[in-house]
């Protein structure tokens, strides 16, 4: 008897670092600025037209006419911008994104879209590097850190459908859009675990396990960041309102952005590795349904009713935002589903005040950030506050008060689509 499982289509992205020559980097910058300008022109043209005259054919004809009259439009594949713009409207109509808008020069991520995967012509050079063809740029190298469906491994079901070139403070990267056909995972039943997120202890599990991390920047990097921030504040003091930012000040901003991007990359790497371990070990993961937007609101109040402990609350808000709890839950959601597990959310109120041993909530039990001491005379249990909250989160799930989001239910349904066993 062999179990035959149904296959499901999986779409995901993979981001790799590009190794560009100075000439290629300059061409890519020019192409990105041209793509942003063409997006703005297309957006203005689209919004000014009457609704009955808006169509893909009319936009394509307008772009072809514009390429004949404007010479700088020849540096990029203009049809890629058109497809990206229409996809943005499609995402807006289907409720997956907001309305497309004007792209400002300094507040927009520089990017160029490659809508067709067959234009990339990806080849693997050796273990660490691969080569891809970028329209109007040529062959470029990228860091090979994941096996991609290219060459003999590529077919109709397993292939690269497109890519996007993105520039951040650390340079240019290529984000592949990958489509694969994989067997649906078999449902897993346990073990169950509750997770309490925090600032001092990032992740505390109900079985007593904790996952922490050190500072994302080293001591030298933090010293350098402080020096750059003081330098930027000093140079900004000489800039009048409305005056263009000087090249020195912008160069300082770029150095600050590079250090912040490095810290973010290390944080994301830690999140991916930690969530992978949790998803592989547990079948049911339970987290709190936190409203992070309300948690990080400012406490400054108004002129009539000023807030209290504003500086302390600002520091707490920065720490909460820096931990990126929402991204951790998002990673756990799809990683547990890929392994046949499930992720559930439970109501947050009361999970940190209730005693996980006796089940009684008494005032003053949370003596400090790290210690929970039950004030119930019949109990008196003392333990770690984070582990106590994680056990309470798991208890709320077992009592039947779990709240599964719509996205999580869809993922779980796809993961549980299994055919019955058949004999061969």
């Amino acid at each position: 008897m062999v179990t035959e499982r149904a296959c499901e289509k999986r779409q995901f992205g993979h981001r790799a670092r590009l190794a560009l020559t100075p000439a290629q980097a300059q061409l890519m910058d020019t192409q990105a600025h041209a793509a942003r300008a063409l997006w703005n022109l297309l957006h203005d043209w689209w919004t000014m037209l009457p609704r009955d005259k808006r169509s893909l054919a009319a936009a394509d004809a307008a772009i072809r006419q514009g390429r004949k009259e404007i010479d700088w439009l020849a540096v990029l594949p203009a049809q890629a911008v058109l497809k990206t713009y229409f996809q943005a409207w499609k995402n807006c109509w289907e409720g997956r994104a907001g309305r497309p808008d004007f792209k400002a020069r300094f507040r927009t991520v520089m990017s160029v879209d490659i809508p067709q995967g067959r234009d990339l012509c990806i080849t693997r050079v050796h273990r660490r590097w691969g080569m891809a063809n970028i329209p109007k740029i040529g062959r470029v190298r990228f860091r090979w850190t994941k096996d991609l469906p290219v060459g003999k491994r590529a077919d109709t079901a397993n292939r690269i459908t497109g890519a996007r070139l993105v520039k951040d403070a650390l340079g240019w990267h290529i984000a592949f859009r990958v489509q694969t056909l994989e067997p649906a995972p078999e449902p897993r039943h346990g073990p169950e675990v509750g997770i309490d997120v925090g600032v001092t202890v990032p992740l505390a599990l109900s079985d007593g396990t904790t996952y922490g991390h050190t500072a994302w920047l080293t001591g030298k990097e933090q010293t350098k960041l402080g020096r750059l921030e003081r330098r930027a504040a000093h140079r900004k003091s000489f800039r009048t309102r409305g005056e263009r930012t000087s090249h020195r000040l912008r160069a300082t901003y770029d150095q600050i952005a590079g250090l912040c991007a490095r810290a973010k990359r290390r944080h994301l790497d830690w999140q991916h590795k930690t969530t992978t371990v949790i998803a592989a070990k547990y079948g049911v993961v339970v987290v709190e349904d936190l409203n992070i937007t309300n948690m990080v609101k400012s406490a400054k109040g108004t002129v009539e009713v000023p807030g209290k402990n504003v500086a302390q609350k600002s520091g707490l808000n920065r720490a909460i935002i820096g931990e990126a709890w929402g991204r951790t839950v998002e990673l756990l959601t799809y990683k547990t589903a890929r392994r046949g597990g499930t992720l559930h959310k439970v109501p947050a109120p009361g999970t940190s005040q209730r005693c996980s041993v006796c089940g009684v909530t008494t005032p003053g039990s949370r003596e400090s950030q790290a210690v929970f001491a039950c004030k119930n005379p019949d109990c008196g249990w003392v333990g770690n506050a984070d582990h106590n909250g994680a056990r309470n989160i798991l208890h709320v799930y077992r009592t039947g008060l779990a709240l599964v989001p719509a996205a999580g239910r869809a993922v779980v349904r796809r993961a549980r689509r299994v055919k019955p066993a058949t004999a061969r």
Side-chain angles (χ1 to χ4, degrees), residues 23-24 27-28 31 67 73-78 112 133-139:
Q24 290 175 336
L27 285 175
M28 204 164 289
Q31 193 174 121
R67 297 191 71 176
L73 286 179
V75 301
L76 78 159
V112 180
N133 182 59
I134 307 300
K136 303 289 185 177
I137 301 293
R139 300 290 290 176

Side-chain angles (χ1 to χ4, degrees), residues 160 284 290 393 412:
I160 295 177
V284 177
L290 298 174
I393 291 170
V412 171

Side-chain angles (χ1 to χ4, degrees), residues 152-166:
K152 296 182 179 180
R153 299 180 56 189
D155 52 26
T156 306
N158 302 276
R159 59 194 176 93
I160 295 177
T161 60
R164 177 177 291 246
L165 307 174
V166 183

Side-chain angles (χ1 to χ4, degrees), residues 2 21 29 35 50 54 60 82 94 116 119 191 200 223 245 251 317 340 370 372 393 411:
V2 179
T21 63
D29 289 346
R54 299 177 183 175
D60 181 67
L82 177 61
E94 295 178 358
Q116 299 294 336
D119 298 335
T200 306
T223 303
T245 305
N317 292 347
F372 182 92
I393 291 170
V411 171

Side-chain angles (χ1 to χ4, degrees), residues 52 56 92 117 208 219 234 261 358 403:
D52 55 343
L56 181 62
C92 176
H234 176 71
C358 65
L403 304 173

Side-chain angles (χ1 to χ4, degrees), residues 89 137 151 200 222 241 266 291 309 328 336 369 377 399 424:
W89 275 111
I137 301 293
T200 306
Q222 291 177 359
R241 185 177 181 85
R266 292 170 182 171
N291 192 336
N309 300 326
T328 301
T336 52
Q369 181 64 32
T399 56
R424 288 187 179 182

Side-chain angles (χ1 to χ4, degrees), residues 110-130:
M110 297 179 63
S111 63
V112 180
D113 196 72
I114 305 175
Q116 299 294 336
R118 61 173 179 268
D119 298 335
L120 295 170
C121 302
I122 299 174
T123 57
R124 185 171 185 177
V125 180
H126 51 79
R127 184 172 63 89
R128 295 191 175 186
W129 293 96

